[in-house]
Amino acid sequence: MNSDPSLKPRGALLLCVRVPKSGSASLMAGLTDAFAGRQIFYLPNTLDPDSRVSPLQKLRFLRARFRNLHRHYRRVRMRSVWAHINNMAAPGDLLMGGHADFRTVETHITLPLKIITLLREPLARARSEYDYMRRGQLRKPPLRRFDSSVLHKAAGRYDFDSYLDYLFDRRAFYGDIACQYLGWNGGEEISDFFARRVFHCGVLERSAEFAEGLAGKLDRPFSLPHENREPASRPEITAQQRARLEQIYARDLVLYDWVARRPSKSPATGASYG
């Protein structure tokens, strides 16, 4: 599949990290086409912040995991799936599917991992996610709204300002969500983290650049097939909302700004970051 000589010597599996509302569905579709002829191993969602807010949500999380694992592997235990991947995966294969975070996957996979991911400006991402969840929650029949995530329920119940207050009070669980998925805790220089962990990263706002860079690395066509469809008009984020968001996503903003400032090619590594 891949003539890039850097993949196999590094002995790495590639992990698609899908940050919510950051073009992740399009990223997954493009990678499915680009990795034709290679093994793609499904991973379910791994982060479960809802259960830290509401213990009853753990049952909902596990129910979804059981269903997805049975659909893809005819198994229901993650231990069995990790063992299967470790036995079958080869360097250059892809792990992808749900919203899996790097740290959890790294803990259970024996081969080294390299990340492929797209980031989105955190304030725009937060507003988009709120609108998406609110629409979905309010469209459900009332009796079905009970079986929703914590954040879906909050988005359906609150206006945007109150929703941000809700997030702020629980920012230990829901804050810096992109950093949670990538596994950057702020204690390491971003450049060092990227050199060790990231194969390809870019920003949604420059998606064509991201696609061109990844196609060059994979030495085969790659495109993002779905455009980011947003409402024609959306209320502007107020100064008060911006201040709140900058507290909730402080580290995400640092990460995004670093990636967005990178040139399309990094002279030191040849890796494209954005």
Side-chain angles (χ1 to χ4, degrees):
M1 185 277 296
N2 197 319
S3 63
D4 181 352
S6 68
L7 285 178
K8 284 189 178 293
R10 292 177 184 171
L13 289 175
L14 296 172
L15 171 66
C16 173
V17 174
R18 299 180 57 207
V19 180
K21 301 308 294 177
S22 301
S24 66
S26 185
L27 175 61
M28 188 166 67
L31 288 173
T32 299
D33 292 339
F35 277 75
R38 295 301 304 247
Q39 297 184 98
I40 300 177
F41 295 90
Y42 170 82
L43 289 178
N45 292 353
T46 54
L47 283 183
D48 185 22
D50 282 352
S51 296
R52 300 170 68 188
V53 176
S54 170
L56 289 176
Q57 287 286 326
K58 190 68 176 180
L59 297 176
R60 185 176 177 275
F61 177 81
L62 291 175
R63 179 190 64 190
R65 171 175 283 185
F66 291 159
R67 288 174 176 172
N68 287 324
L69 291 183
H70 186 264
R71 182 183 304 121
H72 288 273
Y73 294 107
R74 293 295 183 264
R75 306 165 191 238
V76 295
R77 293 175 62 86
M78 276 303 301
R79 181 181 301 177
S80 174
V81 171
W82 295 127
H84 170 75
I85 295 172
N86 284 326
N87 287 334
M88 301 298 295
D93 288 341
L94 179 66
L95 309 179
M96 182 176 69
H99 295 280
D101 71 289
F102 175 82
R103 294 298 183 192
T104 298
V105 180
E106 181 189 41
T107 299
H108 294 92
I109 294 297
T110 55
L111 285 171
L113 295 173
K114 292 285 186 177
I115 294 168
I116 298 174
T117 193
L118 260 176
L119 302 178
R120 183 177 183 180
E121 198 281 321
L123 277 60
R125 189 206 65 81
R127 179 74 215 204
S128 175
E129 183 175 51
Y130 168 79
D131 290 343
Y132 171 80
M133 292 189 298
R134 183 172 175 82
R135 286 195 305 270
Q137 183 71 357
L138 296 182
R139 286 172 181 169
K140 288 183 179 181
L143 291 178
R144 292 188 56 198
R145 294 176 189 174
F146 176 78
D147 189 21
S148 297
S149 76
V150 170
L151 290 188
H152 277 80
K153 291 177 181 177
R157 184 180 307 126
Y158 302 130
D159 63 17
F160 190 50
D161 289 289
S162 299
Y163 174 77
L164 293 183
D165 289 340
Y166 184 89
L167 282 183
F168 180 80
D169 291 341
R170 297 157 182 81
R171 61 191 181 279
F173 313 132
Y174 296 118
D176 292 318
I177 195 67
C179 289
Q180 288 193 53
Y181 276 106
L182 268 69
W184 182 64
N185 62 13
E188 179 181 12
E189 288 290 334
I190 301 179
S191 57
D192 294 339
F193 175 82
F194 268 64
R196 290 191 308 109
R197 299 304 191 193
V198 177
F199 177 70
H200 192 70
C201 177
V203 297
L204 184 62
E205 293 79 2
R206 287 158 54 191
S207 57
E209 222 175 282
F210 170 88
E212 181 181 0
L214 184 54
K217 285 183 169 185
L218 297 175
D219 195 27
R220 63 167 42 200
F222 173 84
S223 64
L224 296 167
H226 310 310
E227 291 186 6
N228 185 40
R229 294 189 179 126
E230 296 289 348
S233 62
R234 169 175 285 152
E236 290 189 12
I237 293 175
T238 67
Q240 181 178 355
Q241 292 166 352
R242 177 176 296 274
R244 203 56 144 172
L245 285 162
E246 288 174 349
Q247 293 174 301
I248 298 168
Y249 300 113
R251 201 174 343 122
D252 277 3
L253 284 162
V254 172
L255 178 67
Y256 174 86
D257 288 345
W258 188 88
V259 174
R261 290 197 310 267
R262 292 306 93 189
S264 60
K265 290 285 184 182
S266 165
T269 65
S272 176
Y273 295 149

